[in-house]
Amino acid sequence: MKNYRAKRVPQNIINYKCLKLFKGKRWYVEFFYKVPEGLLHLHSAKEWKRFRIFEDINRRKGKEREAYAKVLLEAVEYALVQDNYNPFEKQIKFFVKKEKYQMTMLESIEYFKENIGEKGLEKSTLIKYFRTANYLSEYLVLMNKKNSKPVDIDDLFISDCLHHYKKRIPWSNTNYNKSLGFLSIMFNFLISKKIV
């Protein structure tokens, strides 16, 4: 993001609120953005969604971190106010402008990875979810099914995917069962968001 100071505009014509810098164990810029009406079903019917911007603020120390934090806050504010940045633009493209569009399985996996963090899970848990989701993405490409829709992915395909990695890595039965569980959680999440 660029370093610009945003001009203030009246709150009633913008779609964000509560833009703040948080200083704790980890520093970040936080804001809430109004969920577009056509996407409410993807966000548990919540009117506002929280976003946190880290960039590389936590790699800096002391006065350098303070200065960088100020620049980052101003850059986020500029993006929201002057550039009309909308964090839902990608979802609007898929769900509002093209209501009949159905994500591919690879796009659905990316959606899962981008949004599962909203549940406030531990970083170690998210890493396990991402790793297993990446295995499925890799297997889809390997089997020339990168354009497959979620409806095309059945139990047999998932079973073949898991057996492929059980031999390749190799996995124990415990690893296999945990990966199966993570994929089940991913598909349940996608079902809850009406993607699958």
Side-chain angles (χ1 to χ4, degrees):
M1 294 186 172
K2 298 175 183 176
N3 178 15
Y4 295 106
R5 180 176 296 278
K7 295 176 182 175
R8 297 280 178 186
V9 296
Q11 288 287 325
N12 62 348
I13 63 168
I14 58 176
N15 292 317
Y16 77 92
K17 66 180 182 178
C18 304
L19 177 64
K20 298 177 187 175
L21 172 66
F22 277 86
K23 299 178 183 180
K25 187 175 180 182
R26 296 172 71 206
W27 288 26
Y28 56 89
V29 172
E30 177 183 274
F31 64 92
F32 288 78
Y33 202 93
K34 190 172 182 71
V35 178
E37 192 172 320
L39 299 177
L40 287 170
H41 68 284
L42 298 174
H43 299 280
S44 306
K46 292 180 182 173
E47 188 179 357
W48 296 89
K49 180 173 179 180
R50 181 176 73 161
F51 290 88
R52 295 187 295 175
I53 311 296
F54 293 90
E55 297 290 326
D56 60 349
I57 193 169
N58 293 300
R59 294 182 186 170
R60 300 163 190 268
K61 305 289 181 193
K63 290 182 180 178
E64 184 185 4
R65 182 189 273 186
E66 289 281 353
Y68 184 84
K70 183 179 176 188
V71 168
L72 181 61
L73 181 64
E74 290 176 354
V76 171
E77 186 174 26
Y78 183 88
L80 290 166
V81 177
Q82 299 296 331
D83 289 341
N84 295 316
Y85 170 69
N86 182 346
F88 294 103
E89 201 168 300
K90 191 174 180 181
Q91 289 181 5
I92 290 169
K93 176 184 168 189
F94 289 127
F95 293 101
V96 178
K97 291 183 181 175
K98 298 180 180 178
E99 291 179 2
K100 293 182 180 177
Y101 179 85
Q102 184 186 15
M103 284 186 177
T104 65
M105 192 62 229
L106 286 176
E107 290 168 337
S108 299
I109 292 168
E110 288 307 307
Y111 176 85
F112 168 77
K113 288 164 60 179
E114 289 172 7
N115 291 281
I116 191 63
E118 72 187 25
K119 292 185 172 283
L121 299 170
E122 293 289 328
K123 186 176 179 180
S124 60
T125 302
L126 289 174
I127 289 170
K128 291 172 187 173
Y129 286 169
F130 292 173
R131 185 184 308 129
T132 306
N134 288 338
Y135 288 144
L136 180 56
S137 293
E138 184 182 289
Y139 192 70
L140 284 160
V141 173
L142 181 69
M143 301 307 291
N144 294 318
K145 288 188 172 281
K146 61 182 179 183
N147 294 320
S148 295
K149 304 293 184 189
V151 71
D152 301 323
I153 306 303
D154 59 13
D155 291 348
L156 181 60
F157 186 84
I158 297 296
S159 179
D160 289 345
C161 172
L162 292 173
H163 278 96
H164 170 79
Y165 287 103
K166 184 175 182 180
K167 291 177 187 174
R168 182 177 153 200
I169 293 180
W171 281 341
S172 67
N173 289 339
T174 301
N175 292 119
Y176 179 95
N177 290 332
K178 284 182 180 177
S179 297
L180 179 60
F182 294 148
L183 287 179
S184 178
I185 289 167
M186 182 184 78
F187 277 99
N188 285 331
F189 177 84
L190 294 173
I191 288 167
S192 74
K193 299 298 185 181
K194 296 182 170 56
I195 292 169
V196 177

